[in-house]
Amino acid sequence: MTNEPIEIEIFGADVQCASCVNAPSSKDTYEWLQAAIDRKYPGQVYTINYINIEQPIENERHKDWASRVQDDEFFYPLVLINNEVIGEGYIQLKPIYKELEKLGFHA
């Protein structure tokens, strides 16, 4: 396992993106993802944060990512692991699990 802390960030909004019809909301994606990771990789340490792009953001890096989403560079929800884009719009578990395993997670 890597000694580097694993940080998962989900950028989203209360309203679904226009091209994400029938997909879960950003907040639902955050909750679903956290539950899925905890189930598959019990006891493994990571942080997961939800950043609402429609609310005031103080963290400059978060503000930059939120701007990029708002400027339509990315669909939301946007999922980052250690500041790398892993998924956007309709989120699937396979690429997220693959990245976590690359970082040392094991089932």
Side-chain angles (χ1 to χ4, degrees):
M1 175 123 192
T2 180
N3 291 335
E4 196 176 311
I6 295 175
E7 183 175 18
I8 302 170
E9 297 165 310
I10 294 97
F11 290 82
D14 293 336
V15 177
Q16 284 184 308
C17 75
S19 59
C20 302
V21 177
N22 297 325
S25 72
S26 297
K27 188 71 168 179
D28 288 343
T29 298
Y30 159 75
E31 292 168 355
W32 164 75
L33 195 54
Q34 184 172 26
I37 292 168
D38 288 346
R39 208 171 26 255
K40 182 157 176 93
Y41 306 106
Q44 298 187 58
V45 180
Y46 69 98
T47 58
I48 185 167
N49 294 300
Y50 175 72
I51 298 96
N52 188 325
I53 63 172
E54 297 175 324
Q55 299 297 319
I57 299 171
E58 295 196 15
N59 179 299
E60 287 301 318
R61 190 176 60 76
H62 290 172
K63 199 180 290 186
D64 179 56
W65 280 107
S67 288
R68 294 171 73 183
V69 173
Q70 290 169 327
D71 292 342
D72 296 326
E73 186 176 338
F74 297 102
F75 292 115
Y76 60 87
L78 172 67
V79 177
L80 305 179
I81 297 179
N82 290 356
N83 211 33
E84 295 288 325
V85 175
I86 305 303
E88 61 178 309
Y90 188 77
I91 304 302
Q92 297 182 349
L93 287 173
K94 193 171 185 175
I96 291 165
Y97 288 165
K98 183 178 179 181
E99 183 65 20
L100 290 173
E101 289 173 4
K102 192 169 87 176
L103 294 170
F105 272 39
H106 50 83

